Amino acid sequence: MNNDIHYMEQALELARYAEQQGEVPVGAIVVFQNEIIGKGWNQPITNSDPTAHAEIIAMRDAAKKMGNYRLIDCDLYVTLEPCAMCAGAMVHARIKRLIYGTPDPRSGAAGSVFNLTNSQQLNHRIIVEQSALTDFCRDILQAFFAKKR
């Protein structure tokens, strides 16, 4: 559990960086054998790329380091519950465990709106846990969107 908090704090730092870049503040970390092998933060605006979500970037980074698109036995920490695109990519990558910061009641695909991470129709299921740092993850997003209004 202490490692989970440590890694989620790292994801929160990346979310803050995304916000500084004018992006929605979401950060993600991929961990293999207690080592961070992938980092990502939201970059769709910066990169003009609708797939440049924090989770996708972190998995791309990890896959390059692993030399394999399959991220077997890896954990993914992300400050916001993944969307359908990211959850689907996690299933394809064979992520072992997903730890997310705050639920996304509008488009969350790890149980809130959809449950792609544990769908019996798919060939891989992911252990899903909500972080102990939910309040911090929620607050950074709420503050960001409050400034936009």
Side-chain angles (χ1 to χ4, degrees):
M1 183 61 148
N2 285 340
N3 280 347
D4 286 350
I5 290 171
H6 170 73
Y7 293 129
M8 189 58 72
E9 287 171 341
Q10 301 289 310
L12 274 163
E13 282 186 31
L14 294 170
R16 288 183 193 100
Y17 182 75
E19 182 176 22
Q20 291 169 3
Q21 305 303 309
E23 300 280 358
V24 174
V26 178
I29 298 283
V30 177
V31 175
F32 178 67
Q33 297 179 346
N34 293 315
E35 180 184 340
I36 295 173
I37 61 165
K39 294 181 181 184
W41 58 90
N42 267 6
Q43 299 175 46
I45 296 166
T46 303
N47 293 338
S48 300
D49 180 355
T51 70
H53 288 194
E55 303 94 308
I56 299 294
I57 292 170
M59 286 188 288
R60 285 176 182 159
D61 189 28
K64 284 180 186 172
K65 288 186 177 109
M66 296 285 280
N68 192 337
Y69 77 94
R70 289 201 172 163
L71 300 173
I72 296 169
D73 292 327
C74 289
D75 297 337
L76 192 146
Y77 296 80
V78 63
T79 56
L80 177 66
E81 180 183 1
C83 69
M85 173 185 69
C86 293
M90 288 177 207
V91 170
H92 284 291
R94 309 297 194 271
I95 292 291
K96 180 179 181 179
R97 191 169 69 116
L98 164 66
I99 303 88
Y100 70 86
T102 190
D104 184 346
R106 295 183 185 209
S107 62
S112 289
V113 178
F114 306 105
N115 197 352
L116 293 178
T117 53
N118 280 295
S119 173
Q120 295 300 311
Q121 288 80 19
L122 300 176
N123 62 349
H124 177 74
R125 276 159 287 298
I126 299 169
I127 299 164
V128 177
E129 300 171 15
Q130 192 168 342
S131 171
L133 299 179
T134 296
D135 293 344
F136 294 99
C137 295
R138 181 194 62 235
D139 292 350
I140 192 173
L141 285 160
Q142 286 180 341
F144 174 81
F145 286 112
K147 286 182 215 167
K148 293 282 185 190
R149 291 186 195 115

